[in-house]
PDB file of all heavy atoms in Angstrom:
ATOM      1  N   ALA A   4       5.083 -61.650 -30.783  1.00  0.00           N
ATOM      2  CA  ALA A   4       5.974 -60.636 -30.049  1.00  0.00           C
ATOM      3  C   ALA A   4       6.312 -61.257 -28.740  1.00  0.00           C
ATOM      4  O   ALA A   4       7.168 -60.599 -27.982  1.00  0.00           O
ATOM      5  CB  ALA A   4       5.262 -59.380 -29.834  1.00  0.00           C
ATOM      6  N   GLY A 134     -10.088 -50.291  -8.407  1.00  0.00           N
ATOM      7  CA  GLY A 134      -8.718 -50.160  -9.098  1.00  0.00           C
ATOM      8  C   GLY A 134      -8.248 -51.622  -9.437  1.00  0.00           C
ATOM      9  O   GLY A 134      -8.935 -52.608  -9.379  1.00  0.00           O
ATOM     10  N   TYR A 141       3.621 -45.304 -18.221  1.00  0.00           N
ATOM     11  CA  TYR A 141       3.122 -44.056 -18.830  1.00  0.00           C
ATOM     12  C   TYR A 141       4.155 -43.648 -19.886  1.00  0.00           C
ATOM     13  O   TYR A 141       5.212 -43.132 -19.383  1.00  0.00           O
ATOM     14  CB  TYR A 141       2.806 -43.136 -17.782  1.00  0.00           C
ATOM     15  CG  TYR A 141       1.935 -41.948 -18.301  1.00  0.00           C
ATOM     16  CD1 TYR A 141       0.609 -41.697 -17.685  1.00  0.00           C
ATOM     17  CD2 TYR A 141       2.391 -41.005 -19.255  1.00  0.00           C
ATOM     18  CE1 TYR A 141      -0.199 -40.699 -18.091  1.00  0.00           C
ATOM     19  CE2 TYR A 141       1.575 -40.047 -19.634  1.00  0.00           C
ATOM     20  CZ  TYR A 141       0.289 -39.831 -19.073  1.00  0.00           C
ATOM     21  OH  TYR A 141      -0.495 -38.744 -19.515  1.00  0.00           O
ATOM     22  N   ASN A 228       6.278 -42.215 -47.479  1.00  0.00           N
ATOM     23  CA  ASN A 228       6.119 -41.904 -46.055  1.00  0.00           C
ATOM     24  C   ASN A 228       4.736 -42.516 -45.545  1.00  0.00           C
ATOM     25  O   ASN A 228       4.660 -42.915 -44.346  1.00  0.00           O
ATOM     26  CB  ASN A 228       6.125 -40.447 -45.832  1.00  0.00           C
ATOM     27  CG  ASN A 228       7.467 -39.902 -45.427  1.00  0.00           C
ATOM     28  OD1 ASN A 228       8.479 -40.700 -45.475  1.00  0.00           O
ATOM     29  ND2 ASN A 228       7.596 -38.706 -44.988  1.00  0.00           N
ATOM     30  N   GLY A 291      -8.714 -16.937 -49.046  1.00  0.00           N
ATOM     31  CA  GLY A 291      -9.794 -16.022 -48.676  1.00  0.00           C
ATOM     32  C   GLY A 291     -11.212 -16.666 -48.830  1.00  0.00           C
ATOM     33  O   GLY A 291     -12.101 -16.092 -48.365  1.00  0.00           O
ATOM     34  N   ASN A 304      -8.455 -43.758 -41.325  1.00  0.00           N
ATOM     35  CA  ASN A 304      -9.496 -44.801 -41.087  1.00  0.00           C
ATOM     36  C   ASN A 304      -8.840 -46.170 -40.699  1.00  0.00           C
ATOM     37  O   ASN A 304      -9.484 -46.877 -39.881  1.00  0.00           O
ATOM     38  CB  ASN A 304     -10.230 -44.986 -42.453  1.00  0.00           C
ATOM     39  CG  ASN A 304     -11.545 -45.726 -42.193  1.00  0.00           C
ATOM     40  OD1 ASN A 304     -12.247 -45.407 -41.240  1.00  0.00           O
ATOM     41  ND2 ASN A 304     -11.884 -46.708 -43.059  1.00  0.00           N
ATOM     42  N   ASP A 384     -23.106 -13.001 -32.427  1.00  0.00           N
ATOM     43  CA  ASP A 384     -22.312 -12.923 -33.734  1.00  0.00           C
ATOM     44  C   ASP A 384     -21.278 -11.824 -33.758  1.00  0.00           C
ATOM     45  O   ASP A 384     -20.256 -11.929 -34.305  1.00  0.00           O
ATOM     46  CB  ASP A 384     -23.270 -12.848 -34.888  1.00  0.00           C
ATOM     47  CG  ASP A 384     -24.086 -14.084 -35.111  1.00  0.00           C
ATOM     48  OD1 ASP A 384     -23.710 -15.117 -34.468  1.00  0.00           O
ATOM     49  OD2 ASP A 384     -25.087 -14.053 -35.776  1.00  0.00           O
TER      50      ASP A 384
END
Side-chain angles (χ1 to χ4, degrees):
Y141 196 116
N228 267 11
N304 195 45
D384 291 344

